[in-house]
Amino acid sequence: MERRRTRRVRLAAGAAVVLALLFAGAATVASARGDGSGEESGSPRVPAASSADAGFARDMAVHHQQAVEMSFVVRDRTDDEDVRRLAYDIANTQANQRGMLLGWLDLWELPKVAPGGEPPMAWMEGGGRHAHGGHHPDGDGSGSGGGNGDGDGVLMPGMASRSELARLGRLDGEQAEVFFLQLMTDHHKGGVAMAEACASQCSVPAERRLAQGMVEGQRSELGLMRDMLAERGAAPRS
């Protein structure tokens, strides 16, 4: 019964992923033309290097890259069909979105690293310090979950540390499934916080639409992963 329910939720999540990719594709075309959604009729909008638009594109590209990496790791550590399918969906969606974000930076002729050595998420109101349970890369490492600033390679809230990635690569079967789902839950929470910030702060309409699609798609996957953890007698990290 639980497996059937998870498959129904998975179908819903898959639909959300498809919608997010459709929004993303439309956003890329709109951005390349510089027409937004008709609001700018004619002239391209090129954000500044320190803008929320550029900061979100840079930071989310890095955030997405780690999600793709974790998805490929767990694919090789389990034979579970549901987990492998979820990992494939995440890797495929986020690799495509990452390409769009980096493509925008190229179109805007902006650097892919923050100007002046700005820390990640400096573009967010409050510098991202209140995202994901108040953890921040400059924090003291207290608490649990990704993005705890423990000096172990964590760049942004929600991201896994180097030691966590190494541990995922050593686990097998259900242990790998549970740890992946917990890490990816943290990762999605951090990603949703960033995408919500762009949806409210970014100035390019196409990028705001892409960010909103990310929020909706990752929230749907958060519900799916909660159910998958429950099936395995586990829960998201606090």
Side-chain angles (χ1 to χ4, degrees):
M1 179 68 72
E2 288 296 328
R3 293 282 181 176
R4 288 198 296 272
R5 184 178 67 178
T6 295
R7 288 191 178 92
R8 288 197 298 270
V9 177
R10 187 185 67 225
L11 289 173
V17 168
V18 171
L19 286 174
L21 285 172
L22 289 174
F23 275 121
T28 300
V29 173
S31 178
R33 292 175 177 170
D35 60 6
S37 55
E39 299 170 18
E40 285 82 38
S41 71
S43 33
R45 300 187 59 137
V46 178
S50 59
S51 66
D53 301 83
F56 174 74
R58 287 191 299 263
D59 288 350
M60 190 57 84
V62 173
H63 211 266
H64 273 15
Q65 178 59 32
Q66 189 182 77
V68 173
E69 178 184 349
M70 289 195 294
S71 296
F72 281 127
V73 170
V74 80
R75 180 198 63 178
D76 298 331
R77 310 304 297 178
T78 179
D79 295 325
D80 185 88
E81 177 186 349
D82 290 338
V83 173
R84 287 171 62 90
R85 184 179 292 109
L86 172 65
Y88 173 82
D89 287 345
I90 290 173
N92 187 54
T93 300
Q94 297 207 14
N96 276 286
Q97 291 174 345
R98 181 175 185 272
M100 294 169 192
L101 294 166
L102 294 176
W104 276 335
L105 290 171
D106 283 337
L107 284 170
W108 297 332
E109 298 183 351
L110 295 178
K112 295 181 177 65
V113 295
E118 283 186 356
M121 302 174 71
W123 57 272
M124 290 177 64
E125 292 176 359
R129 291 183 181 276
H130 303 296
H132 194 248
H135 296 142
H136 187 269
D138 296 332
D140 61 4
S142 60
S144 60
N148 54 19
D150 60 4
D152 194 13
V154 177
L155 298 177
M156 287 170 270
M159 292 188 70
S161 66
R162 285 189 292 265
S163 58
E164 287 172 328
L165 293 175
R167 180 186 171 199
L168 178 63
R170 293 192 300 268
L171 297 175
D172 288 300
E174 189 169 283
Q175 286 186 326
E177 297 160 19
V178 168
F179 195 49
F180 167 76
L181 292 168
Q182 290 173 332
L183 289 178
M184 194 59 74
T185 294
D186 291 342
H187 207 273
H188 272 23
K189 287 178 180 177
V192 166
M194 275 203 292
E196 286 177 331
C198 177
S200 64
Q201 293 178 230
C202 289
S203 61
V204 177
E207 192 173 14
R208 290 201 306 267
R209 290 194 297 273
L210 175 60
Q212 187 58 42
M214 290 179 184
V215 171
E216 293 165 5
Q218 292 194 27
R219 279 181 175 168
S220 177
E221 287 176 345
L222 281 169
L224 171 60
M225 291 189 290
R226 184 183 60 244
D227 290 345
M228 293 174 76
L229 281 167
E231 288 177 2
R232 293 159 176 81
R237 302 192 292 187
S238 61

Short mmCIF file of all heavy atoms in Angstrom, two decimals, residues 33-72:
data_model
loop_
_atom_site.label_atom_id
_atom_site.label_comp_id
_atom_site.label_asym_id
_atom_site.label_seq_id
_atom_site.Cartn_x
_atom_site.Cartn_y
_atom_site.Cartn_z
N ARG A 33 15.92 36.41 -26.35
CA ARG A 33 15.31 37.45 -27.19
C ARG A 33 15.29 38.80 -26.49
O ARG A 33 15.14 39.82 -27.14
CB ARG A 33 13.87 37.06 -27.53
CG ARG A 33 13.76 35.86 -28.46
CD ARG A 33 12.31 35.48 -28.63
NE ARG A 33 12.15 34.38 -29.55
CZ ARG A 33 11.01 33.72 -29.74
NH1 ARG A 33 9.94 34.08 -29.06
NH2 ARG A 33 10.95 32.73 -30.59
N GLY A 34 15.36 38.74 -25.14
CA GLY A 34 15.30 39.97 -24.38
C GLY A 34 13.91 40.54 -24.29
O GLY A 34 13.74 41.73 -24.03
N ASP A 35 12.86 39.67 -24.48
CA ASP A 35 11.51 40.22 -24.47
C ASP A 35 10.78 39.97 -23.17
O ASP A 35 9.62 40.31 -23.04
CB ASP A 35 10.68 39.65 -25.64
CG ASP A 35 10.53 38.14 -25.58
OD1 ASP A 35 10.97 37.53 -24.58
OD2 ASP A 35 9.99 37.57 -26.53
N GLY A 36 11.46 39.34 -22.16
CA GLY A 36 10.78 39.05 -20.90
C GLY A 36 9.51 38.32 -21.22
O GLY A 36 9.49 37.31 -21.85
N SER A 37 8.35 38.82 -20.80
CA SER A 37 7.07 38.23 -21.17
C SER A 37 6.27 39.28 -21.90
O SER A 37 5.08 39.40 -21.76
CB SER A 37 6.33 37.77 -19.91
OG SER A 37 6.19 38.82 -19.00
N GLY A 38 6.96 40.09 -22.66
CA GLY A 38 6.30 41.17 -23.37
C GLY A 38 6.38 42.46 -22.60
O GLY A 38 5.98 43.51 -23.09
N GLU A 39 6.91 42.40 -21.36
CA GLU A 39 6.93 43.59 -20.52
C GLU A 39 8.02 44.57 -20.97
O GLU A 39 7.94 45.75 -20.70
CB GLU A 39 7.18 43.18 -19.06
CG GLU A 39 6.11 42.28 -18.50
CD GLU A 39 6.51 41.72 -17.15
OE1 GLU A 39 7.41 42.28 -16.51
OE2 GLU A 39 5.92 40.71 -16.75
N GLU A 40 9.02 44.04 -21.66
CA GLU A 40 10.12 44.92 -22.04
C GLU A 40 10.13 45.27 -23.51
O GLU A 40 11.05 45.86 -24.00
CB GLU A 40 11.45 44.23 -21.70
CG GLU A 40 11.75 44.26 -20.24
CD GLU A 40 11.04 43.16 -19.51
OE1 GLU A 40 10.92 42.04 -20.06
OE2 GLU A 40 10.56 43.41 -18.40
N SER A 41 9.15 44.82 -24.25
CA SER A 41 9.01 45.02 -25.67
C SER A 41 10.22 45.56 -26.37
O SER A 41 10.34 46.67 -26.73
CB SER A 41 7.84 45.91 -25.98
OG SER A 41 7.96 47.20 -25.66
N GLY A 42 11.12 44.78 -26.55
CA GLY A 42 12.18 45.12 -27.43
C GLY A 42 13.57 45.12 -26.91
O GLY A 42 14.42 44.55 -27.50
N SER A 43 13.90 45.77 -25.82
CA SER A 43 15.30 45.84 -25.46
C SER A 43 15.68 44.83 -24.41
O SER A 43 14.97 44.64 -23.46
CB SER A 43 15.69 47.19 -24.97
OG SER A 43 14.85 47.91 -24.32
N PRO A 44 16.83 44.18 -24.63
CA PRO A 44 17.27 43.16 -23.70
C PRO A 44 17.58 43.74 -22.33
O PRO A 44 18.02 44.87 -22.22
CB PRO A 44 18.53 42.60 -24.34
CG PRO A 44 18.63 43.20 -25.70
CD PRO A 44 17.72 44.36 -25.74
N ARG A 45 17.34 42.95 -21.31
CA ARG A 45 17.66 43.36 -19.95
C ARG A 45 18.95 42.66 -19.57
O ARG A 45 18.99 41.44 -19.52
CB ARG A 45 16.54 42.97 -19.00
CG ARG A 45 15.22 43.63 -19.36
CD ARG A 45 14.19 43.34 -18.29
NE ARG A 45 14.64 43.85 -17.01
CZ ARG A 45 13.86 44.51 -16.16
NH1 ARG A 45 12.61 44.73 -16.48
NH2 ARG A 45 14.32 44.94 -15.04
N VAL A 46 19.99 43.42 -19.33
CA VAL A 46 21.28 42.85 -18.94
C VAL A 46 21.55 43.27 -17.51
O VAL A 46 21.85 44.42 -17.24
CB VAL A 46 22.41 43.32 -19.87
CG1 VAL A 46 23.74 42.74 -19.41
CG2 VAL A 46 22.12 42.92 -21.31
N PRO A 47 21.47 42.34 -16.56
CA PRO A 47 21.68 42.68 -15.15
C PRO A 47 23.14 43.02 -14.86
O PRO A 47 24.04 42.64 -15.61
CB PRO A 47 21.26 41.41 -14.40
CG PRO A 47 20.58 40.55 -15.42
CD PRO A 47 21.12 40.94 -16.75
N ALA A 48 23.36 43.70 -13.76
CA ALA A 48 24.71 43.99 -13.30
C ALA A 48 25.33 42.74 -12.68
O ALA A 48 24.62 41.83 -12.25
CB ALA A 48 24.69 45.13 -12.28
N ALA A 49 26.65 42.71 -12.63
CA ALA A 49 27.35 41.54 -12.09
C ALA A 49 27.01 41.29 -10.63
O ALA A 49 27.05 40.16 -10.15
CB ALA A 49 28.86 41.72 -12.25
N SER A 50 26.65 42.34 -9.90
CA SER A 50 26.33 42.21 -8.47
C SER A 50 24.83 42.10 -8.22
O SER A 50 24.40 42.12 -7.06
CB SER A 50 26.89 43.41 -7.70
OG SER A 50 26.33 44.63 -8.20
N SER A 51 24.04 41.95 -9.27
CA SER A 51 22.58 41.91 -9.13
C SER A 51 22.11 40.56 -8.58
O SER A 51 22.86 39.57 -8.59
CB SER A 51 21.92 42.14 -10.49
OG SER A 51 22.23 41.07 -11.37
N ALA A 52 20.86 40.53 -8.13
CA ALA A 52 20.26 39.27 -7.69
C ALA A 52 20.18 38.29 -8.85
O ALA A 52 20.37 37.08 -8.66
CB ALA A 52 18.88 39.54 -7.10
N ASP A 53 19.90 38.79 -10.06
CA ASP A 53 19.79 37.90 -11.22
C ASP A 53 21.10 37.15 -11.47
O ASP A 53 21.10 35.93 -11.67
CB ASP A 53 19.44 38.73 -12.47
CG ASP A 53 18.14 39.48 -12.32
OD1 ASP A 53 18.16 40.58 -11.73
OD2 ASP A 53 17.11 38.97 -12.77
N ALA A 54 22.21 37.89 -11.46
CA ALA A 54 23.51 37.25 -11.70
C ALA A 54 23.92 36.38 -10.52
O ALA A 54 24.44 35.28 -10.70
CB ALA A 54 24.57 38.33 -11.96
N GLY A 55 23.67 36.87 -9.30
CA GLY A 55 24.04 36.09 -8.12
C GLY A 55 23.29 34.79 -8.04
O GLY A 55 23.87 33.74 -7.72
N PHE A 56 22.00 34.82 -8.33
CA PHE A 56 21.21 33.59 -8.31
C PHE A 56 21.71 32.61 -9.38
O PHE A 56 21.85 31.41 -9.12
CB PHE A 56 19.73 33.91 -8.56
CG PHE A 56 18.86 32.69 -8.70
CD1 PHE A 56 18.53 31.92 -7.59
CD2 PHE A 56 18.37 32.30 -9.94
CE1 PHE A 56 17.73 30.79 -7.71
CE2 PHE A 56 17.57 31.18 -10.07
CZ PHE A 56 17.24 30.43 -8.95
N ALA A 57 21.99 33.10 -10.58
CA ALA A 57 22.47 32.23 -11.65
C ALA A 57 23.78 31.56 -11.24
O ALA A 57 23.96 30.35 -11.45
CB ALA A 57 22.64 33.02 -12.94
N ARG A 58 24.70 32.32 -10.66
CA ARG A 58 25.98 31.75 -10.24
C ARG A 58 25.80 30.73 -9.11
O ARG A 58 26.31 29.61 -9.18
CB ARG A 58 26.92 32.87 -9.76
CG ARG A 58 27.49 33.75 -10.85
CD ARG A 58 28.59 34.64 -10.29
NE ARG A 58 28.09 35.54 -9.25
CZ ARG A 58 27.73 36.80 -9.45
NH1 ARG A 58 27.80 37.32 -10.67
NH2 ARG A 58 27.30 37.55 -8.45
N ASP A 59 25.09 31.13 -8.06
CA ASP A 59 24.99 30.28 -6.88
C ASP A 59 24.15 29.03 -7.13
O ASP A 59 24.49 27.94 -6.68
CB ASP A 59 24.41 31.07 -5.70
CG ASP A 59 25.39 32.09 -5.15
OD1 ASP A 59 26.57 32.05 -5.54
OD2 ASP A 59 24.98 32.93 -4.33
N MET A 60 23.04 29.19 -7.86
CA MET A 60 22.20 28.02 -8.10
C MET A 60 22.88 27.03 -9.04
O MET A 60 22.65 25.82 -8.94
CB MET A 60 20.84 28.44 -8.65
CG MET A 60 19.82 27.30 -8.69
SD MET A 60 19.54 26.52 -7.07
CE MET A 60 18.30 27.64 -6.39
N ALA A 61 23.72 27.52 -9.94
CA ALA A 61 24.48 26.60 -10.80
C ALA A 61 25.39 25.72 -9.96
O ALA A 61 25.51 24.51 -10.20
CB ALA A 61 25.30 27.39 -11.83
N VAL A 62 26.03 26.30 -8.95
CA VAL A 62 26.90 25.53 -8.05
C VAL A 62 26.06 24.56 -7.21
O VAL A 62 26.40 23.39 -7.04
CB VAL A 62 27.71 26.47 -7.13
CG1 VAL A 62 28.47 25.68 -6.08
CG2 VAL A 62 28.66 27.32 -7.96
N HIS A 63 24.95 25.06 -6.68
CA HIS A 63 24.05 24.25 -5.85
C HIS A 63 23.54 23.05 -6.65
O HIS A 63 23.55 21.90 -6.18
CB HIS A 63 22.89 25.12 -5.40
CG HIS A 63 22.31 24.76 -4.06
ND1 HIS A 63 21.23 23.92 -3.93
CD2 HIS A 63 22.66 25.13 -2.80
CE1 HIS A 63 20.93 23.80 -2.64
NE2 HIS A 63 21.78 24.51 -1.94
N HIS A 64 23.10 23.30 -7.88
CA HIS A 64 22.59 22.22 -8.74
C HIS A 64 23.67 21.19 -9.06
O HIS A 64 23.37 20.00 -9.14
CB HIS A 64 22.06 22.82 -10.05
CG HIS A 64 20.63 23.27 -9.99
ND1 HIS A 64 19.94 23.43 -8.81
CD2 HIS A 64 19.75 23.57 -10.98
CE1 HIS A 64 18.69 23.83 -9.09
NE2 HIS A 64 18.56 23.91 -10.38
N GLN A 65 24.89 21.65 -9.26
CA GLN A 65 25.95 20.71 -9.62
C GLN A 65 26.12 19.65 -8.55
O GLN A 65 26.32 18.47 -8.86
CB GLN A 65 27.27 21.46 -9.84
CG GLN A 65 28.45 20.56 -10.17
CD GLN A 65 28.24 19.73 -11.43
OE1 GLN A 65 27.57 20.17 -12.37
NE2 GLN A 65 28.79 18.53 -11.45
N GLN A 66 26.03 20.04 -7.28
CA GLN A 66 26.18 19.04 -6.23
C GLN A 66 25.00 18.07 -6.21
O GLN A 66 25.18 16.88 -5.95
CB GLN A 66 26.32 19.70 -4.86
CG GLN A 66 26.68 18.68 -3.78
CD GLN A 66 26.79 19.28 -2.40
OE1 GLN A 66 25.77 19.56 -1.76
NE2 GLN A 66 28.01 19.48 -1.92
N ALA A 67 23.79 18.56 -6.48
CA ALA A 67 22.63 17.66 -6.53
C ALA A 67 22.81 16.61 -7.62
O ALA A 67 22.48 15.43 -7.44
CB ALA A 67 21.35 18.46 -6.77
N VAL A 68 23.33 17.04 -8.77
CA VAL A 68 23.59 16.09 -9.86
C VAL A 68 24.63 15.06 -9.42
O VAL A 68 24.47 13.85 -9.65
CB VAL A 68 24.07 16.86 -11.12
CG1 VAL A 68 24.53 15.88 -12.21
CG2 VAL A 68 22.96 17.77 -11.65
N GLU A 69 25.67 15.53 -8.75
CA GLU A 69 26.73 14.62 -8.28
C GLU A 69 26.17 13.58 -7.30
O GLU A 69 26.43 12.38 -7.43
CB GLU A 69 27.83 15.43 -7.59
CG GLU A 69 28.96 14.58 -7.02
CD GLU A 69 29.99 15.42 -6.27
OE1 GLU A 69 29.95 16.65 -6.36
OE2 GLU A 69 30.83 14.81 -5.58
N MET A 70 25.38 14.02 -6.32
CA MET A 70 24.81 13.09 -5.34
C MET A 70 23.89 12.08 -6.01
O MET A 70 23.84 10.91 -5.63
CB MET A 70 24.07 13.86 -4.24
CG MET A 70 24.98 14.63 -3.31
SD MET A 70 24.14 15.18 -1.78
CE MET A 70 22.96 16.35 -2.44
N SER A 71 23.15 12.55 -7.01
CA SER A 71 22.21 11.65 -7.70
C SER A 71 22.95 10.54 -8.43
O SER A 71 22.53 9.37 -8.42
CB SER A 71 21.35 12.46 -8.68
OG SER A 71 20.55 13.39 -7.99
N PHE A 72 24.06 10.87 -9.06
CA PHE A 72 24.84 9.85 -9.75
C PHE A 72 25.49 8.88 -8.75
O PHE A 72 25.62 7.69 -9.03
CB PHE A 72 25.90 10.49 -10.64
CG PHE A 72 25.36 11.00 -11.95
CD1 PHE A 72 25.58 12.30 -12.35
CD2 PHE A 72 24.63 10.18 -12.78
CE1 PHE A 72 25.08 12.77 -13.56
CE2 PHE A 72 24.11 10.62 -13.98
CZ PHE A 72 24.34 11.94 -14.38
#
